Amino acid sequence: MVKVYKPGKVAIVLQGRQAGKKVVVIKQLDEGSKEHPFPHAIVAGIERYPRKVTRRMGQKKLAHRSKVKPFIKAVNYSHLFPTRYALELEGLKGSVTVDTFKEPSQREDAKKAVKKWFEERYTAGKNKWFFQPLRF
């Protein structure tokens, strides 16, 4: 079977609270794990997308509207829709692992690292399509 969900692959969540949100695959677990006995992927996605900014806005307003609210989650493969796009994951390599979900403090630290990485990408102007919500 061909591996579709490689690290860095962008997908769309189809089911659950984050349905319709874009995510990037951080790690794939084809065999499952003890906690999740089904093929799944650990993903980081955008729960609240940054808002539209214009030239007339001041620095303070621009900074406030450029904030991103991320989420990290283990998602079943059947609830993901792969896209043709991919992101480089150099900044997220060690921040989110399987052990991250065991303790809430680790999860919060990982979320902060993901938030920082997403906001850096957004302000740099890279991967603009990833930071726009789906229109359907």
Side-chain angles (χ1 to χ4, degrees), residues 87-116:
L87 293 175
E88 305 87 43
L89 289 179
E90 296 307 315
L92 289 179
K93 284 288 185 199
S95 62
V96 182
T97 60
V98 181
D99 302 326
T100 305
F101 298 101
K102 288 189 168 70
E103 196 162 323
S105 62
Q106 285 182 326
R107 192 181 184 116
E108 290 301 315
D109 293 342
K111 242 195 259 191
K112 284 177 186 168
V114 169
K115 179 183 172 99
K116 185 173 182 272

PDB file of all heavy atoms in Angstrom, residues 87-116:
ATOM      1  N   LEU A  87       4.373  20.888   3.453  1.00  0.00           N
ATOM      2  CA  LEU A  87       5.126  21.937   4.137  1.00  0.00           C
ATOM      3  C   LEU A  87       6.436  21.355   4.644  1.00  0.00           C
ATOM      4  O   LEU A  87       6.509  20.168   4.943  1.00  0.00           O
ATOM      5  CB  LEU A  87       4.346  22.471   5.345  1.00  0.00           C
ATOM      6  CG  LEU A  87       3.063  23.235   5.115  1.00  0.00           C
ATOM      7  CD1 LEU A  87       2.413  23.540   6.451  1.00  0.00           C
ATOM      8  CD2 LEU A  87       3.327  24.519   4.383  1.00  0.00           C
ATOM      9  N   GLU A  88       7.455  22.202   4.796  1.00  0.00           N
ATOM     10  CA  GLU A  88       8.700  21.767   5.414  1.00  0.00           C
ATOM     11  C   GLU A  88       8.501  21.817   6.927  1.00  0.00           C
ATOM     12  O   GLU A  88       8.033  22.807   7.455  1.00  0.00           O
ATOM     13  CB  GLU A  88       9.872  22.657   5.030  1.00  0.00           C
ATOM     14  CG  GLU A  88      10.090  22.803   3.550  1.00  0.00           C
ATOM     15  CD  GLU A  88       9.271  23.921   2.935  1.00  0.00           C
ATOM     16  OE1 GLU A  88       9.187  25.005   3.519  1.00  0.00           O
ATOM     17  OE2 GLU A  88       8.688  23.677   1.868  1.00  0.00           O
ATOM     18  N   LEU A  89       8.900  20.760   7.615  1.00  0.00           N
ATOM     19  CA  LEU A  89       8.669  20.660   9.059  1.00  0.00           C
ATOM     20  C   LEU A  89       9.925  20.867   9.889  1.00  0.00           C
ATOM     21  O   LEU A  89      10.019  20.332  10.980  1.00  0.00           O
ATOM     22  CB  LEU A  89       8.099  19.285   9.394  1.00  0.00           C
ATOM     23  CG  LEU A  89       6.669  19.015   8.963  1.00  0.00           C
ATOM     24  CD1 LEU A  89       6.280  17.612   9.362  1.00  0.00           C
ATOM     25  CD2 LEU A  89       5.723  20.005   9.592  1.00  0.00           C
ATOM     26  N   GLU A  90      10.872  21.638   9.404  1.00  0.00           N
ATOM     27  CA  GLU A  90      12.129  21.790  10.128  1.00  0.00           C
ATOM     28  C   GLU A  90      11.940  22.341  11.537  1.00  0.00           C
ATOM     29  O   GLU A  90      12.599  21.933  12.464  1.00  0.00           O
ATOM     30  CB  GLU A  90      13.082  22.695   9.342  1.00  0.00           C
ATOM     31  CG  GLU A  90      13.505  22.122   8.007  1.00  0.00           C
ATOM     32  CD  GLU A  90      14.084  20.717   8.113  1.00  0.00           C
ATOM     33  OE1 GLU A  90      14.907  20.469   9.004  1.00  0.00           O
ATOM     34  OE2 GLU A  90      13.697  19.869   7.298  1.00  0.00           O
ATOM     35  N   GLY A  91      11.014  23.255  11.732  1.00  0.00           N
ATOM     36  CA  GLY A  91      10.806  23.866  13.039  1.00  0.00           C
ATOM     37  C   GLY A  91      10.017  23.010  14.015  1.00  0.00           C
ATOM     38  O   GLY A  91      10.035  23.244  15.216  1.00  0.00           O
ATOM     39  N   LEU A  92       9.311  22.000  13.514  1.00  0.00           N
ATOM     40  CA  LEU A  92       8.423  21.205  14.374  1.00  0.00           C
ATOM     41  C   LEU A  92       8.941  19.805  14.674  1.00  0.00           C
ATOM     42  O   LEU A  92       8.228  19.030  15.295  1.00  0.00           O
ATOM     43  CB  LEU A  92       7.047  21.053  13.696  1.00  0.00           C
ATOM     44  CG  LEU A  92       6.182  22.297  13.622  1.00  0.00           C
ATOM     45  CD1 LEU A  92       4.889  21.962  12.907  1.00  0.00           C
ATOM     46  CD2 LEU A  92       5.870  22.820  14.993  1.00  0.00           C
ATOM     47  N   LYS A  93      10.145  19.489  14.259  1.00  0.00           N
ATOM     48  CA  LYS A  93      10.647  18.118  14.356  1.00  0.00           C
ATOM     49  C   LYS A  93      10.476  17.488  15.744  1.00  0.00           C
ATOM     50  O   LYS A  93       9.866  16.464  15.886  1.00  0.00           O
ATOM     51  CB  LYS A  93      12.119  18.056  13.939  1.00  0.00           C
ATOM     52  CG  LYS A  93      12.323  18.141  12.459  1.00  0.00           C
ATOM     53  CD  LYS A  93      11.895  16.884  11.751  1.00  0.00           C
ATOM     54  CE  LYS A  93      12.233  16.972  10.284  1.00  0.00           C
ATOM     55  NZ  LYS A  93      11.500  16.051   9.475  1.00  0.00           N
ATOM     56  N   GLY A  94      11.001  18.118  16.781  1.00  0.00           N
ATOM     57  CA  GLY A  94      10.981  17.492  18.099  1.00  0.00           C
ATOM     58  C   GLY A  94       9.886  17.972  19.034  1.00  0.00           C
ATOM     59  O   GLY A  94       9.757  17.484  20.149  1.00  0.00           O
ATOM     60  N   SER A  95       9.070  18.922  18.583  1.00  0.00           N
ATOM     61  CA  SER A  95       8.106  19.529  19.510  1.00  0.00           C
ATOM     62  C   SER A  95       6.888  18.653  19.780  1.00  0.00           C
ATOM     63  O   SER A  95       6.365  18.646  20.885  1.00  0.00           O
ATOM     64  CB  SER A  95       7.673  20.894  18.994  1.00  0.00           C
ATOM     65  OG  SER A  95       7.027  20.760  17.756  1.00  0.00           O
ATOM     66  N   VAL A  96       6.406  17.913  18.791  1.00  0.00           N
ATOM     67  CA  VAL A  96       5.215  17.073  18.971  1.00  0.00           C
ATOM     68  C   VAL A  96       5.591  15.620  18.722  1.00  0.00           C
ATOM     69  O   VAL A  96       6.056  15.266  17.646  1.00  0.00           O
ATOM     70  CB  VAL A  96       4.078  17.495  18.004  1.00  0.00           C
ATOM     71  CG1 VAL A  96       2.847  16.654  18.251  1.00  0.00           C
ATOM     72  CG2 VAL A  96       3.760  18.959  18.163  1.00  0.00           C
ATOM     73  N   THR A  97       5.380  14.782  19.751  1.00  0.00           N
ATOM     74  CA  THR A  97       5.648  13.351  19.642  1.00  0.00           C
ATOM     75  C   THR A  97       4.449  12.581  20.193  1.00  0.00           C
ATOM     76  O   THR A  97       3.462  13.180  20.606  1.00  0.00           O
ATOM     77  CB  THR A  97       6.910  12.954  20.438  1.00  0.00           C
ATOM     78  OG1 THR A  97       6.698  13.295  21.817  1.00  0.00           O
ATOM     79  CG2 THR A  97       8.152  13.663  19.930  1.00  0.00           C
ATOM     80  N   VAL A  98       4.550  11.264  20.224  1.00  0.00           N
ATOM     81  CA  VAL A  98       3.474  10.430  20.756  1.00  0.00           C
ATOM     82  C   VAL A  98       3.312  10.675  22.256  1.00  0.00           C
ATOM     83  O   VAL A  98       2.198  10.652  22.787  1.00  0.00           O
ATOM     84  CB  VAL A  98       3.771   8.937  20.483  1.00  0.00           C
ATOM     85  CG1 VAL A  98       2.659   8.051  21.016  1.00  0.00           C
ATOM     86  CG2 VAL A  98       3.952   8.698  18.993  1.00  0.00           C
ATOM     87  N   ASP A  99       4.417  10.935  22.956  1.00  0.00           N
ATOM     88  CA  ASP A  99       4.374  11.148  24.409  1.00  0.00           C
ATOM     89  C   ASP A  99       3.794  12.515  24.788  1.00  0.00           C
ATOM     90  O   ASP A  99       3.479  12.740  25.956  1.00  0.00           O
ATOM     91  CB  ASP A  99       5.787  11.030  24.999  1.00  0.00           C
ATOM     92  CG  ASP A  99       6.401   9.677  24.688  1.00  0.00           C
ATOM     93  OD1 ASP A  99       5.640   8.693  24.634  1.00  0.00           O
ATOM     94  OD2 ASP A  99       7.634   9.613  24.507  1.00  0.00           O
ATOM     95  N   THR A 100       3.639  13.404  23.835  1.00  0.00           N
ATOM     96  CA  THR A 100       3.128  14.752  24.105  1.00  0.00           C
ATOM     97  C   THR A 100       1.722  14.717  24.675  1.00  0.00           C
ATOM     98  O   THR A 100       1.349  15.551  25.489  1.00  0.00           O
ATOM     99  CB  THR A 100       3.122  15.583  22.804  1.00  0.00           C
ATOM    100  OG1 THR A 100       4.431  15.560  22.260  1.00  0.00           O
ATOM    101  CG2 THR A 100       2.733  17.017  23.061  1.00  0.00           C
ATOM    102  N   PHE A 101       0.934  13.727  24.285  1.00  0.00           N
ATOM    103  CA  PHE A 101      -0.472  13.673  24.670  1.00  0.00           C
ATOM    104  C   PHE A 101      -0.697  13.097  26.064  1.00  0.00           C
ATOM    105  O   PHE A 101      -1.809  13.125  26.569  1.00  0.00           O
ATOM    106  CB  PHE A 101      -1.262  12.850  23.644  1.00  0.00           C
ATOM    107  CG  PHE A 101      -1.227  13.459  22.268  1.00  0.00           C
ATOM    108  CD1 PHE A 101      -0.380  12.967  21.293  1.00  0.00           C
ATOM    109  CD2 PHE A 101      -2.029  14.537  21.968  1.00  0.00           C
ATOM    110  CE1 PHE A 101      -0.348  13.537  20.033  1.00  0.00           C
ATOM    111  CE2 PHE A 101      -2.003  15.120  20.712  1.00  0.00           C
ATOM    112  CZ  PHE A 101      -1.161  14.610  19.747  1.00  0.00           C
ATOM    113  N   LYS A 102       0.353  12.587  26.690  1.00  0.00           N
ATOM    114  CA  LYS A 102       0.195  11.943  27.997  1.00  0.00           C
ATOM    115  C   LYS A 102      -0.056  12.943  29.127  1.00  0.00           C
ATOM    116  O   LYS A 102      -0.810  12.667  30.045  1.00  0.00           O
ATOM    117  CB  LYS A 102       1.414  11.087  28.308  1.00  0.00           C
ATOM    118  CG  LYS A 102       1.475   9.830  27.452  1.00  0.00           C
ATOM    119  CD  LYS A 102       2.564   8.907  27.924  1.00  0.00           C
ATOM    120  CE  LYS A 102       2.461   7.550  27.295  1.00  0.00           C
ATOM    121  NZ  LYS A 102       2.768   7.485  25.895  1.00  0.00           N
ATOM    122  N   GLU A 103       0.572  14.090  29.066  1.00  0.00           N
ATOM    123  CA  GLU A 103       0.443  15.067  30.149  1.00  0.00           C
ATOM    124  C   GLU A 103       0.028  16.431  29.600  1.00  0.00           C
ATOM    125  O   GLU A 103       0.569  16.887  28.587  1.00  0.00           O
ATOM    126  CB  GLU A 103       1.778  15.200  30.890  1.00  0.00           C
ATOM    127  CG  GLU A 103       1.623  15.881  32.226  1.00  0.00           C
ATOM    128  CD  GLU A 103       2.823  15.623  33.110  1.00  0.00           C
ATOM    129  OE1 GLU A 103       3.369  14.513  33.079  1.00  0.00           O
ATOM    130  OE2 GLU A 103       3.197  16.555  33.819  1.00  0.00           O
ATOM    131  N   PRO A 104      -0.946  17.100  30.240  1.00  0.00           N
ATOM    132  CA  PRO A 104      -1.448  18.380  29.730  1.00  0.00           C
ATOM    133  C   PRO A 104      -0.382  19.466  29.589  1.00  0.00           C
ATOM    134  O   PRO A 104      -0.437  20.267  28.657  1.00  0.00           O
ATOM    135  CB  PRO A 104      -2.506  18.792  30.759  1.00  0.00           C
ATOM    136  CG  PRO A 104      -2.924  17.531  31.414  1.00  0.00           C
ATOM    137  CD  PRO A 104      -1.724  16.639  31.394  1.00  0.00           C
ATOM    138  N   SER A 105       0.598  19.506  30.507  1.00  0.00           N
ATOM    139  CA  SER A 105       1.626  20.551  30.431  1.00  0.00           C
ATOM    140  C   SER A 105       2.492  20.365  29.186  1.00  0.00           C
ATOM    141  O   SER A 105       2.867  21.352  28.531  1.00  0.00           O
ATOM    142  CB  SER A 105       2.484  20.543  31.684  1.00  0.00           C
ATOM    143  OG  SER A 105       3.160  19.319  31.822  1.00  0.00           O
ATOM    144  N   GLN A 106       2.809  19.122  28.842  1.00  0.00           N
ATOM    145  CA  GLN A 106       3.582  18.853  27.629  1.00  0.00           C
ATOM    146  C   GLN A 106       2.786  19.246  26.396  1.00  0.00           C
ATOM    147  O   GLN A 106       3.335  19.784  25.432  1.00  0.00           O
ATOM    148  CB  GLN A 106       3.929  17.364  27.531  1.00  0.00           C
ATOM    149  CG  GLN A 106       5.020  16.914  28.454  1.00  0.00           C
ATOM    150  CD  GLN A 106       5.335  15.445  28.251  1.00  0.00           C
ATOM    151  OE1 GLN A 106       4.453  14.641  27.954  1.00  0.00           O
ATOM    152  NE2 GLN A 106       6.584  15.087  28.426  1.00  0.00           N
ATOM    153  N   ARG A 107       1.491  18.984  26.439  1.00  0.00           N
ATOM    154  CA  ARG A 107       0.615  19.316  25.316  1.00  0.00           C
ATOM    155  C   ARG A 107       0.566  20.827  25.093  1.00  0.00           C
ATOM    156  O   ARG A 107       0.626  21.306  23.956  1.00  0.00           O
ATOM    157  CB  ARG A 107      -0.781  18.773  25.608  1.00  0.00           C
ATOM    158  CG  ARG A 107      -1.701  18.787  24.437  1.00  0.00           C
ATOM    159  CD  ARG A 107      -3.059  18.243  24.861  1.00  0.00           C
ATOM    160  NE  ARG A 107      -3.916  18.174  23.721  1.00  0.00           N
ATOM    161  CZ  ARG A 107      -4.411  17.056  23.216  1.00  0.00           C
ATOM    162  NH1 ARG A 107      -4.138  15.907  23.774  1.00  0.00           N
ATOM    163  NH2 ARG A 107      -5.173  17.088  22.159  1.00  0.00           N
ATOM    164  N   GLU A 108       0.491  21.585  26.191  1.00  0.00           N
ATOM    165  CA  GLU A 108       0.463  23.044  26.094  1.00  0.00           C
ATOM    166  C   GLU A 108       1.778  23.586  25.533  1.00  0.00           C
ATOM    167  O   GLU A 108       1.774  24.501  24.713  1.00  0.00           O
ATOM    168  CB  GLU A 108       0.182  23.674  27.465  1.00  0.00           C
ATOM    169  CG  GLU A 108      -1.229  23.453  27.964  1.00  0.00           C
ATOM    170  CD  GLU A 108      -2.289  24.009  27.021  1.00  0.00           C
ATOM    171  OE1 GLU A 108      -2.128  25.147  26.549  1.00  0.00           O
ATOM    172  OE2 GLU A 108      -3.272  23.296  26.752  1.00  0.00           O
ATOM    173  N   ASP A 109       2.909  23.016  25.971  1.00  0.00           N
ATOM    174  CA  ASP A 109       4.211  23.438  25.458  1.00  0.00           C
ATOM    175  C   ASP A 109       4.316  23.165  23.959  1.00  0.00           C
ATOM    176  O   ASP A 109       4.833  23.996  23.193  1.00  0.00           O
ATOM    177  CB  ASP A 109       5.346  22.724  26.201  1.00  0.00           C
ATOM    178  CG  ASP A 109       5.435  23.157  27.662  1.00  0.00           C
ATOM    179  OD1 ASP A 109       4.878  24.227  28.001  1.00  0.00           O
ATOM    180  OD2 ASP A 109       6.057  22.427  28.459  1.00  0.00           O
ATOM    181  N   ALA A 110       3.833  22.003  23.549  1.00  0.00           N
ATOM    182  CA  ALA A 110       3.862  21.645  22.127  1.00  0.00           C
ATOM    183  C   ALA A 110       2.977  22.591  21.320  1.00  0.00           C
ATOM    184  O   ALA A 110       3.343  23.025  20.228  1.00  0.00           O
ATOM    185  CB  ALA A 110       3.404  20.204  21.937  1.00  0.00           C
ATOM    186  N   LYS A 111       1.807  22.932  21.882  1.00  0.00           N
ATOM    187  CA  LYS A 111       0.894  23.852  21.191  1.00  0.00           C
ATOM    188  C   LYS A 111       1.524  25.227  21.019  1.00  0.00           C
ATOM    189  O   LYS A 111       1.363  25.879  19.983  1.00  0.00           O
ATOM    190  CB  LYS A 111      -0.415  23.976  21.971  1.00  0.00           C
ATOM    191  CG  LYS A 111      -1.620  23.500  21.192  1.00  0.00           C
ATOM    192  CD  LYS A 111      -2.884  23.976  21.830  1.00  0.00           C
ATOM    193  CE  LYS A 111      -3.512  22.865  22.618  1.00  0.00           C
ATOM    194  NZ  LYS A 111      -4.874  23.186  23.060  1.00  0.00           N
ATOM    195  N   LYS A 112       2.264  25.683  22.054  1.00  0.00           N
ATOM    196  CA  LYS A 112       2.940  26.977  21.976  1.00  0.00           C
ATOM    197  C   LYS A 112       4.018  26.968  20.898  1.00  0.00           C
ATOM    198  O   LYS A 112       4.188  27.940  20.159  1.00  0.00           O
ATOM    199  CB  LYS A 112       3.552  27.339  23.327  1.00  0.00           C
ATOM    200  CG  LYS A 112       2.512  27.811  24.334  1.00  0.00           C
ATOM    201  CD  LYS A 112       3.116  28.089  25.686  1.00  0.00           C
ATOM    202  CE  LYS A 112       2.027  28.406  26.703  1.00  0.00           C
ATOM    203  NZ  LYS A 112       2.526  28.395  28.068  1.00  0.00           N
ATOM    204  N   ALA A 113       4.748  25.856  20.799  1.00  0.00           N
ATOM    205  CA  ALA A 113       5.783  25.735  19.773  1.00  0.00           C
ATOM    206  C   ALA A 113       5.158  25.743  18.371  1.00  0.00           C
ATOM    207  O   ALA A 113       5.672  26.395  17.454  1.00  0.00           O
ATOM    208  CB  ALA A 113       6.581  24.454  19.986  1.00  0.00           C
ATOM    209  N   VAL A 114       4.040  25.047  18.224  1.00  0.00           N
ATOM    210  CA  VAL A 114       3.340  24.998  16.930  1.00  0.00           C
ATOM    211  C   VAL A 114       2.812  26.385  16.577  1.00  0.00           C
ATOM    212  O   VAL A 114       2.924  26.837  15.436  1.00  0.00           O
ATOM    213  CB  VAL A 114       2.198  23.959  16.967  1.00  0.00           C
ATOM    214  CG1 VAL A 114       1.309  24.072  15.753  1.00  0.00           C
ATOM    215  CG2 VAL A 114       2.763  22.553  17.079  1.00  0.00           C
ATOM    216  N   LYS A 115       2.263  27.084  17.571  1.00  0.00           N
ATOM    217  CA  LYS A 115       1.731  28.442  17.353  1.00  0.00           C
ATOM    218  C   LYS A 115       2.840  29.376  16.874  1.00  0.00           C
ATOM    219  O   LYS A 115       2.665  30.119  15.907  1.00  0.00           O
ATOM    220  CB  LYS A 115       1.111  28.966  18.649  1.00  0.00           C
ATOM    221  CG  LYS A 115       0.551  30.371  18.547  1.00  0.00           C
ATOM    222  CD  LYS A 115       0.019  30.833  19.891  1.00  0.00           C
ATOM    223  CE  LYS A 115      -0.368  32.269  19.870  1.00  0.00           C
ATOM    224  NZ  LYS A 115      -1.791  32.486  19.687  1.00  0.00           N
ATOM    225  N   LYS A 116       3.993  29.306  17.534  1.00  0.00           N
ATOM    226  CA  LYS A 116       5.131  30.155  17.176  1.00  0.00           C
ATOM    227  C   LYS A 116       5.571  29.871  15.734  1.00  0.00           C
ATOM    228  O   LYS A 116       5.804  30.782  14.944  1.00  0.00           O
ATOM    229  CB  LYS A 116       6.275  29.897  18.156  1.00  0.00           C
ATOM    230  CG  LYS A 116       7.475  30.797  17.988  1.00  0.00           C
ATOM    231  CD  LYS A 116       8.460  30.562  19.112  1.00  0.00           C
ATOM    232  CE  LYS A 116       9.652  31.458  19.012  1.00  0.00           C
ATOM    233  NZ  LYS A 116      10.731  30.918  18.196  1.00  0.00           N
TER     234      LYS A 116
END
